[in-house]
Amino acid sequence: MPSPSEASSAAPAPLLLRLALRAYPPVDRRGYGDELVEAALELADGRSGYVREAGGLLQGGIEARLARLRLGLGAVDLLAALRRLTLPLTALVTMIWSAAAAARINGATIDWADRGPTAGSVVLLTLLALLILGVARAQRGIATFAATALFLQILASALWYTARGGTVTASPSVHLNIGWWWFGPNVTWSLLPLVLLLVLACWRMRPAAPRLPDVPRPLTEQGAVRLLIIVLPAVLFGVLLHYAPQYVVQGRETTQLPGLLVLIAVVATLWVARAVPGGRERAATAAALVGMGASPSIAYGAARLVLSPLGSFVENRDLVVALNLLMAVLLMVVAAAIFLAVLAAVGLRVIDRRGGSPLAVGHAIPLGPDHTASPD
Amino acid sequence: MAALTESTYFVLAALAREPMHGYGIAKLAGDLSDGRVKLTAGTLYGVLARLVERGQIVEDRVEVVSGRARRYYRLTPSGRELLTDETERLRATAKTVRERLNAEPERS
């Protein structure tokens, strides 16, 4: 009898089985793919049997992929990755409000232009200052409190948003006008998942190590350096936008800022994830987490981009909005799935480095001349 | 522990006496269950992977027959214990139900 690979070119039924085998992850196909097809060929009785076996291989392949996903996600060190996010996410949040402040000062946004400081803005600035202080000094309690309060305030703004910004708003209505191709969702909704990540990151932040005489602290643990990492990008960004008002326009419901910033993180995610064998799992995991947090932003923006030509053909605006929302949800699921897959891939590489997993049948005994024995 | 699925139970049962390869396990599981359990290769290897992962079966050896490699699996003590426990549970359940079926109907 020919081997499955030989038979596949000759008969359509084994070809069907070979195609169905593609549902399995590559590592499983390499480990026991031939054995699976052999068993399927033996178990199939006639043409209907081949179809049934192909269905079985499809189902088995999907289950094997899900099992690997679970295994990979279980091996990811999320807590360590979260710790890494404290500084960058604080810097990101500070940058967003620094841009809002710049927009307000140069009059690019009318939402806040005609009113004095509101209770909401005072609370916001106080919380932001507390967050920066807590993170810079690695004081977990203060940082977690400020991040949580900030999250709740943003949630309140998102739920009771008005075009005028609202009295308790933490949502500056900033619109970055960097090109016709870029769209983003309401700043509050884009920020929510990222600030939630920040809350978790602050909660898992390592407290500052006690000062020891004659032992210099690592650079990233020095308060002044941490403060600089948070504040400097925000100041630079704010100044840039202040002197380039043409890039900031009044936005009622949309803003591009978080989307743009997290897009950088997304590119970094994919880049870092590719370089994981170098041992940068935590960085890759952190970047994938940010990517997942950014998924709503990216999905909403991409959906608007895809559907924008529809606007000139379809007069029913409600239909366009509904289609936009539907496509955004679909794209969000796709984006989240991609980042989950990145996380699982990172976890599986960690497992591989530790000596592999017993999950896949055939991993324990590699096929080869040393392991074969003649039948009696 | 949750009850085993019928497929898993009969895969373990097929391996109770001696190590077997995939096709043999699927055929014997079908025979032992009076044809109720019809395993495809995909489902069979899914069950085998889970049992290997839980340490209830292990790979025994690989034999090459007519140029084709056949991997044999065998029960571990943990797998044998699981099969025994499940068989005992099924027996006890069947006994309870049989007693109920044979009992006189209660008259209110």
Side-chain angles (χ1 to χ4, degrees), chain A residues 34 125 142-143 189 216 233 263 269 285 303 314 319 327 330 349 352 356:
Chain A
D34 281 342
L125 288 176
I142 293 176
W189 289 115
L263 190 68
T269 304
T285 306
V314 182
L319 179 65
M327 180 160 268
L330 284 176
R349 284 175 190 174
D352 283 347

Side-chain angles (χ1 to χ4, degrees), chain A residues 219-258:
Chain A
L219 210 58
T220 51
E221 286 186 19
Q222 292 175 16
V225 174
R226 291 168 71 87
L227 188 67
L228 213 61
I229 291 173
I230 297 169
V231 173
L232 196 61
V235 170
L236 289 177
F237 198 53
V239 168
L240 187 77
L241 289 183
H242 182 66
Y243 289 104
Q246 68 271 27
Y247 293 114
V248 189
V249 295
Q250 168 64 32
R252 280 174 56 236
E253 291 175 352
T254 60
T255 181
Q256 285 73 15
L257 193 47

Side-chain angles (χ1 to χ4, degrees), chain A residues 15 51 58 66 92 118 149 151 187 197 219 225 277 291 355:
Chain A
L15 178 65
V51 175
L58 268 179
L66 288 176
L92 176 78
T118 61
F151 174 77
V187 67
L197 262 186
L219 210 58
V225 174

Side-chain angles (χ1 to χ4, degrees), chain A residues 259-281:
Chain A
L260 178 67
L261 295 174
V262 294
L263 190 68
I264 297 165
V266 172
V267 174
T269 304
L270 301 175
W271 184 81
V272 175
R274 283 184 64 229
V276 161
R280 283 180 283 177
E281 288 90 359

Side-chain angles (χ1 to χ4, degrees), chain B:
Chain B
M1 175 181 272
L4 296 177
T5 63
E6 198 169 27
S7 305
T8 309
Y9 180 71
F10 281 107
V11 166
L12 287 171
L15 291 169
R17 283 199 182 165
E18 57 184 347
M20 300 193 82
H21 56 78
Y23 173 68
I25 296 170
K27 290 299 279 182
L28 189 53
D31 292 346
L32 290 174
S33 63
D34 280 338
R36 282 199 315 280
V37 173
K38 287 181 181 168
L39 290 166
T40 63
T43 23
L44 169 68
Y45 277 78
V47 172
L48 291 176
R50 278 192 290 278
L51 290 172
V52 168
E53 187 192 356
R54 293 175 196 154
Q56 282 147 356
I57 63 170
V58 287
E59 295 169 9
D60 186 67
R61 65 186 188 276
V62 176
E63 287 185 0
V64 178
V65 182
S66 309
R68 286 180 293 158
R70 281 187 155 171
R71 202 183 307 270
Y72 282 69
Y73 300 89
R74 66 178 156 79
L75 280 186
T76 62
S78 148
R80 186 167 292 281
E81 190 183 331
L82 178 68
L83 180 62
T84 310
D85 289 351
E86 182 65 6
T87 307
E88 187 53 38
R89 191 188 66 79
L90 290 172
R91 196 195 60 76
T93 308
K95 181 169 173 274
T96 307
V97 176
R98 192 178 299 117
E99 282 170 3
R100 197 160 171 75
L101 279 172
N102 292 340
E104 288 289 318
E106 288 175 12
R107 298 186 194 285
S108 54

